[in-house]
Amino acid sequence: MDNQPLSNRDFYQSQDWHKARAVAIKRFRAMRANCGICGKPLDYNAKRGVLIDHKLARKKRPDLAFNQDNLQPVHHQCNSRKRDWVDNSTVKPTNLNGFPPGWE
């Protein structure tokens, strides 16, 4: 069997990810958790109101891919901004939200 990591598409379509995401959504909804990036409220009832994000990137920490402590609820826009920053930077994020101190 090949030990290569799953592609993004295969990972996000996997049954394991769907289970982990469902657990996270249920937990964050019950807590009425705000966005883990901007801190603003999330609409848990909207069709695409909440995305589950890896605090520490799956590429860098595949061992934490399903760890609930490494997941956070975020807005789609916030997740896109985070991805753009992380993918285009040589600076390693230092906060648990994946951004350097003072980033907003």
Side-chain angles (χ1 to χ4, degrees), residues 4 8 31 40 47 51 55-56 60 65 70 76 92:
Q4 293 296 318
N8 274 344
M31 295 168 41
K40 294 180 182 174
K47 185 174 182 178
L51 186 89
K55 294 176 189 177
L56 300 175
K60 295 180 182 179
N70 189 43
H76 282 269
K92 291 185 179 179

Side-chain angles (χ1 to χ4, degrees), residues 77-89 99 103:
Q77 182 178 5
C78 291
N79 188 61
S80 294
R81 289 176 58 211
K82 176 183 173 186
R83 185 179 316 114
D84 289 345
W85 186 86
V86 171
D87 288 347
N88 294 313
S89 176
F99 294 99
W103 187 90

Side-chain angles (χ1 to χ4, degrees), residues 18-79:
H18 283 273
K19 287 179 184 178
R21 182 184 179 281
V23 168
I25 288 282
K26 184 176 181 180
R27 181 169 56 101
F28 293 130
R29 177 181 280 138
M31 295 168 41
R32 295 185 181 173
N34 290 336
C35 177
I37 295 174
C38 73
K40 294 180 182 174
L42 292 160
D43 184 354
Y44 286 91
N45 295 317
K47 185 174 182 178
R48 297 189 69 201
V50 178
L51 186 89
I52 298 299
D53 174 52
H54 291 92
K55 294 176 189 177
L56 300 175
R58 190 173 62 87
K59 285 183 199 176
K60 295 180 182 179
R61 291 297 307 269
D63 58 312
L64 298 177
F66 300 107
N67 184 317
Q68 290 290 318
D69 292 332
N70 189 43
L71 302 178
Q72 63 182 349
V74 298
H75 296 105
H76 282 269
Q77 182 178 5
C78 291
N79 188 61

